Amino acid sequence: MLYPNRLQAVLLFDRRLRDLETIVRDFTRIEGMKSGASFNMPETNPDRFYRLFNGAEELMLTFEYIDGPANSDAFRAALASPFTGLATPDIRARIARTQSHILVEASHGVMAGVENDPKIAEMFAQLGMPKPGASQAQFQRRLSVLALMTRVAAEQAVPLAVHWTQSDLLIGGEQCDAFAAMEPPSPLHIHPFLYGPQAAPGDKSLVGIRTFGARHWLGREILIKPSVLPWTANYETILTFLRVATMANGYVIPDGDTFGPEDRSQSFRVLHHDAGADIGYAGVEPADMPMYELVPVKHVAHSYIAPDHVPDENVFDDRAFPAQIMPDDQDAKMAAANEWAEKRKLAEGVGGKFEVRAVSDAGESPPPPMPPPTRIIAPTASQPGMPNLSGRGLRAQVFGRKGT
């Protein structure tokens, strides 16, 4: 679901609290200083429940304190994730010690997110009413406000654990502030479900990642199949891919293209899979929803180069391309040049560079490229670490589909 409206976080505590009013007061003060937002309080039950509403944004927030432990069924999927145990090894013991919890929630619209109910959503559709909060900017606003609500509550009383429901992430309370301080999308919002085959004695474990949370920005989850690369390195690549897609002027890397940092130290190919596709690994097939698969092609830091990697010296200037590698048909040649021009525009729009590489049918390097036109200055990234985006050609020998 794109841009879910009703977002929640649950903070678990090992004692009873009487500080909810203080938490609400601190939050409204801090948020007012940050954004200038002011809130009415249409509903309150002292130290038990507070509803806040900002009419300018139609932003609805609630703080609720509940004596007693939270429903453990809500944590079942999160506890099944290996990442949860890696991040907080004693998480089950923490949940068992819970004596109370605080539920915080953010939504857009006066109906406080109830339009997520299928019947109400259908009624909205029949009436032609727009769905509240249905934009990336509003979604990220909800995430940021909810993060501040969570941080303020955790500052008042350090929780045993925090359950961030948007990504089904369950982390220790002491980790909450660092996770929630990062702008979305970040590790708080993209849960890496780790998986892979059982390693034979003496063999290195191969770990893959399937995300939960990327669908809320892209309508798809992201997959990296079990790999010799450390899962942490692959996870950072997933976050980079998502940031490229969601930043200003951002876009999803096209099917078959590759991306990586400008220093060419890494390269990953992007494959687009529809729901039901056979994605070639028994642990995750068939795809139960649309996915973007990232395939490692090069990672210098971990001495990894895939067999289909095309050497860096095979780059040619797509605006002064070697005639030897282009189709003979003029229409096909023009189509290739136009495709590259459009992709160059997209890449430069996010501060990146666009490259096309070539490999002959036999696999060797192509003839030396024609010299580039004079006075061409290659675009450079606007920020360190911005991706270098590589092109996909229309013929098999043109870099993109076969090599990187």
Side-chain angles (χ1 to χ4, degrees), residues 185-205:
S186 78
L188 181 63
H189 313 102
I190 307 298
H191 188 150
F193 279 86
L194 309 178
Y195 73 98
Q198 183 69 38
D203 288 350
K204 184 177 180 179
S205 295

Side-chain angles (χ1 to χ4, degrees), residues 2-5 108-109 115 130-139 142:
L2 280 174
Y3 316 134
N5 192 6
H108 272 99
E115 72 282 352
K131 187 176 178 180
S135 71
Q136 180 179 317
Q138 289 175 308
F139 175 54
R142 292 192 294 277

Side-chain angles (χ1 to χ4, degrees), residues 229-277:
L229 296 178
W231 73 265
T232 50
N234 284 334
Y235 182 49
E236 181 55 42
T237 299
I238 287 173
L239 293 175
T240 298
F241 172 81
L242 185 59
R243 289 165 186 154
V244 170
T246 58
M247 67 190 299
N249 300 317
Y251 68 104
V252 173
I253 310 299
D255 183 32
D257 282 13
T258 60
F259 74 105
E262 256 190 62
D263 62 7
R264 297 176 177 166
S265 61
Q266 298 177 39
S267 182
F268 284 74
R269 186 174 309 287
V270 180
L271 303 177
H272 298 196
H273 298 298
D274 295 330

Side-chain angles (χ1 to χ4, degrees), residues 37-42 52-60 108-110:
S38 60
F39 296 90
N40 297 319
M41 194 175 294
L52 308 179
F53 184 69
N54 174 267
E57 298 179 88
E58 289 198 344
L59 183 63
M60 187 81 75
H108 272 99
V110 296

Side-chain angles (χ1 to χ4, degrees), residues 273-284:
H273 298 298
D274 295 330
D278 179 354
I279 54 181
Y281 188 77
V284 291

